[in-house]
Amino acid sequence: MIIKDFKPKIIKINFNKKKFFLILISIFLLSTFSLYLLYTGAKLQKNQTAAHFKELISDLKREKFSFIENYLKSLTFKPDNIYLDINFKNILKLEDARNNALNRGYISQKDQMITVNAKIKKDKENYNVVVSPTGFLLDMIGDKKKRAYKIKVKDNETLYSMSEFKLLPPKSRFYLTELIGQTISKTEGLININYFFVNLLLNGDNLGTYALEEHLTKELIERNDKRNGIIFSYNQDTGKIKIFNKNKYLKNGEFNKEQIDYINYIWNNSIQDPKKLIKHINIDKFSKYFAIIDLMDGFHSLENNSLFYLDPISLKIEPIIREFNSYRYVDGPPSYEWISIEQFAEKENNSLFYKKFYSTLFSNREFLNGYIKNLDRLSKKKYLDDLFKNNKKLLNKQLSFIHKSYPGYNFPKEYMYLKQDHIRKHLSQKKILLSRYSNVKNEIEIENISKYPLKIVKLINTDESFIKEFKNYI
């Protein structure tokens, strides 16, 4: 056997230093960019800007090229120009408040108490004003330029017949939704808040379309043909009643301390037992209030966002709806499950005030009958047909103002009709009665175990030898 010399085969690898270096650089850049995206995403989420981008992308995907048409149509409409001038020192003061809120995660009462002097010009009129931050969530200040401001007009003057109002990014009130909700409130005879769109210029910088929202002052009450009275809210988390413009109106005699004492007495006396509050409220107004909230899918306006007005003549409390915050394409269709009676008709053992108060309301026969009648009326297709027809000019004009800055936006009218359909299905669902016959008492006991009031027209036995008619609801 002949053994040849074994020579191992050497595999040559062409090592390209330049290519290897490029790969390392690519990995480094990709890692850095990924970390940047994570940081930016977290920052956008924190200041609520991410939601705005999500909405913008959704609008563009849905509208495709119609946003061009929307913008071109908007050019034929001219909203009022509001020129707001704030000096550099005061701009820094507001910026400091914004940074504090961003770091905290919400806008505090302390932030809202920061005020600066400024000037507003509209047409040829000049106004001295006081400007302060407003709101609670960061969507009010998330955009560095387009943030929310509360305006107080000085020297006993008014602008648009308002001594106080807010300039808000339209997205914070869901654009046209708030106007439609307030229009329904007006139609139904509830206190409604003035809400429309303007063009804001801050120190000459055109910030585009803003929502102008009336604040809670005597002008609001008088515009609704009411006697000037207390507007207040109750925060169930802090247990505090907030009376709007309390010091101002006490000082100038717009209302007296007895009215404030009355509110504090009846409210604090009802916190543990909301039944005591029922006799102090306007049942008819509250029955419409919940029907409107159901139609608008506006549950955001409940609980700590609730607002109330004390009529100084009747001494009855009326509701004021604000912040519907519903109906955007980006959020999808409204939920079928959410309707007030389904949420609040059960007896509530919750320790929080509003849950107990709502449960008490929905167990009150007078309220419940009014609520069902109003809900039935508002859920008919003709109601929305008439609403949009009668307010077509107003809504189209305001929508065009929105399109100047947000051409991809449109109001999902079909969602409101879908909500009507949901309500009709709830109202028409099968209702269940339980009956028990007592041989001892020779009585028939009938129990309504549904959440809806039922009226028994008559009882008839099989051979019709016994007929009993009824008038009352159970």
Side-chain angles (χ1 to χ4, degrees):
M1 179 187 300
I2 300 173
I3 300 175
K4 295 181 178 180
D5 292 339
F6 176 74
K7 294 181 180 180
K9 188 175 182 181
I10 299 173
I11 301 174
K12 293 184 179 181
I13 300 175
N14 294 323
F15 182 73
N16 190 321
K17 291 183 179 180
K18 185 177 181 181
K19 189 174 181 180
F20 180 71
F21 181 73
L22 287 174
I23 292 172
L24 285 178
I25 290 293
S26 299
I27 293 172
F28 173 76
L29 290 175
L30 183 62
S31 301
T32 303
F33 185 63
S34 299
L35 290 172
Y36 172 75
L37 288 178
L38 288 172
Y39 168 77
T40 304
K43 190 174 181 180
L44 291 175
Q45 186 66 35
K46 182 179 179 182
N47 63 22
Q48 302 288 302
T49 310
H52 176 60
F53 284 135
K54 179 183 176 183
E55 182 180 1
L56 180 62
I57 292 169
S58 172
D59 287 343
L60 291 176
K61 284 173 64 178
R62 184 190 67 258
E63 295 297 319
K64 296 181 180 176
F65 291 103
S66 65
F67 71 92
I68 299 174
E69 180 184 356
N70 292 340
Y71 179 73
L72 292 176
K73 283 183 179 179
S74 76
L75 297 178
T76 62
F77 293 89
K78 292 185 178 181
D80 287 346
N81 284 324
I82 302 292
Y83 297 87
L84 176 61
D85 291 319
I86 308 174
N87 67 36
F88 182 69
K89 180 181 177 181
N90 287 336
I91 285 285
L92 291 179
K93 195 173 179 182
L94 292 174
E95 186 66 23
D96 187 51
R98 176 180 183 267
N99 291 333
N100 289 336
L102 289 175
N103 290 331
R104 189 187 305 107
Y106 64 91
I107 305 167
S108 69
Q109 287 290 327
K110 185 178 179 182
D111 296 327
Q112 295 180 39
M113 290 175 67
I114 293 173
T115 61
V116 300
N117 290 319
K119 292 183 181 295
I120 277 182
K121 181 181 179 182
K122 178 188 172 289
D123 299 328
K124 295 181 180 180
E125 298 295 324
N126 294 293
Y127 303 87
N128 294 316
V129 299
V130 174
V131 180
S132 59
T134 188
F136 177 76
L137 297 178
L138 297 182
D139 61 343
M140 292 288 191
I141 58 171
D143 190 318
K144 186 173 178 62
K145 276 192 171 183
K146 203 154 190 172
R147 64 183 79 168
Y149 302 99
K150 181 181 176 184
I151 308 292
K152 287 186 180 182
V153 185
K154 298 170 71 175
D155 307 320
N156 292 320
E157 292 190 298
T158 60
L159 180 58
Y160 296 108
S161 299
M162 305 176 205
S163 61
E164 294 182 34
F165 56 88
K166 294 180 179 181
L167 292 168
L168 306 172
K171 64 182 179 182
S172 66
R173 290 288 189 264
F174 287 42
Y175 305 93
L176 208 62
T177 296
E178 189 71 22
L179 178 59
I180 292 172
Q182 295 300 335
T183 302
I184 293 175
S185 293
K186 182 178 181 180
T187 302
E188 294 301 313
L190 268 62
I191 294 173
N192 63 93
I193 294 172
N194 226 338
Y195 176 91
F196 55 92
F197 298 95
V198 297
N199 190 68
L200 180 65
L201 296 97
L202 175 61
N203 293 339
D205 187 9
N206 192 338
L207 302 184
T209 305
Y210 260 72
L212 192 152
E213 180 185 78
E214 185 175 17
H215 195 47
L216 308 170
T217 63
K218 69 173 184 176
E219 292 88 14
L220 163 65
I221 298 302
E222 291 169 352
R223 186 178 55 76
N224 281 272
D225 297 323
K226 302 280 186 181
R227 285 285 295 273
N228 187 28
I230 294 173
I231 301 176
F232 68 99
S233 63
Y234 173 72
N235 189 309
Q236 64 185 0
D237 301 322
T238 64
K240 292 182 179 180
I241 297 172
K242 178 180 179 179
I243 295 176
F244 291 88
N245 289 300
K246 174 182 173 181
N247 294 331
K248 174 183 174 181
Y249 292 146
L250 280 175
K251 184 178 179 180
N252 61 23
E254 296 290 343
F255 49 71
N256 56 47
K257 189 175 181 298
E258 284 71 21
Q259 289 175 284
I260 297 174
D261 292 340
Y262 178 75
I263 286 292
N264 285 322
Y265 172 75
I266 63 173
W267 203 271
N268 290 326
N269 199 38
S270 305
I271 290 175
Q272 297 304 319
D273 184 8
K275 287 182 181 179
K276 296 178 181 179
L277 189 59
I278 299 298
K279 63 182 179 181
H280 297 291
I281 69 172
N282 187 314
I283 293 289
D284 177 60
K285 302 287 187 184
F286 270 89
S287 69
K288 290 180 178 179
Y289 168 79
F290 278 96
I292 293 170
I293 285 173
D294 286 347
L295 176 60
M296 289 299 301
D297 203 36
F299 53 89
H300 178 267
S301 61
L302 292 171
E303 299 195 2
N304 284 343
N305 288 324
S306 301
L307 297 168
F308 307 98
Y309 158 74
L310 175 67
D311 187 324
I313 306 300
S314 66
L315 294 181
K316 295 288 187 180
I317 296 170
E318 298 182 18
I320 302 174
I321 316 180
R322 185 181 69 176
E323 298 184 47
F324 293 93
N325 287 24
S326 58
Y327 295 137
R328 293 184 304 183
Y329 280 113
V330 70
D331 300 322
S335 168
Y336 172 79
E337 286 75 19
W338 211 101
I339 179 173
S340 296
I341 191 170
E342 297 288 348
Q343 300 294 320
F344 306 127
E346 298 287 349
K347 288 186 177 180
E348 184 61 60
N349 295 319
N350 198 302
S351 60
L352 295 175
F353 168 77
Y354 281 112
K355 289 291 195 301
K356 291 190 294 183
F357 173 52
Y358 299 155
S359 176
T360 302
L361 260 182
F362 278 87
S363 64
N364 179 278
R365 185 166 295 174
E366 180 186 356
F367 166 82
L368 197 53
N369 289 342
Y371 164 76
I372 294 294
K373 288 178 181 177
N374 286 312
L375 197 60
D376 178 66
R377 181 171 54 83
L378 267 63
S379 64
K380 287 182 168 62
K381 182 177 181 294
K382 187 178 185 302
Y383 184 87
L384 281 184
D385 288 345
D386 290 344
L387 176 80
F388 290 122
K389 179 182 177 181
N390 296 336
N391 296 281
K392 182 178 180 180
K393 186 176 180 180
L394 167 69
L395 297 177
N396 285 345
K397 183 178 180 180
Q398 296 299 316
L399 181 60
S400 290
F401 293 165
I402 295 172
H403 282 160
K404 284 183 174 295
S405 293
Y406 308 94
Y409 170 79
N410 264 315
F411 179 76
K413 188 188 296 186
E414 66 273 22
Y415 284 2
M416 289 194 73
Y417 284 98
L418 178 61
K419 191 64 182 182
Q420 280 189 320
D421 184 57
H422 290 171
I423 293 170
R424 301 301 303 172
K425 287 178 180 176
H426 278 287
L427 293 177
S428 61
Q429 65 181 290
K430 289 183 179 180
K431 314 299 188 299
I432 301 174
L433 289 175
L434 291 181
S435 62
R436 292 178 286 273
Y437 175 71
S438 171
N439 287 318
V440 178
K441 296 182 180 180
N442 193 30
E443 289 180 348
I444 298 176
E445 183 180 307
I446 301 173
E447 181 184 1
N448 176 13
I449 62 171
S450 76
K451 297 175 181 179
Y452 297 81
L454 300 176
K455 184 177 183 180
I456 301 176
V457 179
K458 61 176 68 175
L459 288 178
I460 306 174
N461 67 349
T462 52
D463 60 2
E464 297 191 4
S465 61
F466 170 81
I467 298 177
K468 174 67 177 177
E469 294 187 355
F470 295 83
K471 294 183 178 180
N472 297 326
Y473 286 85
I474 63 169

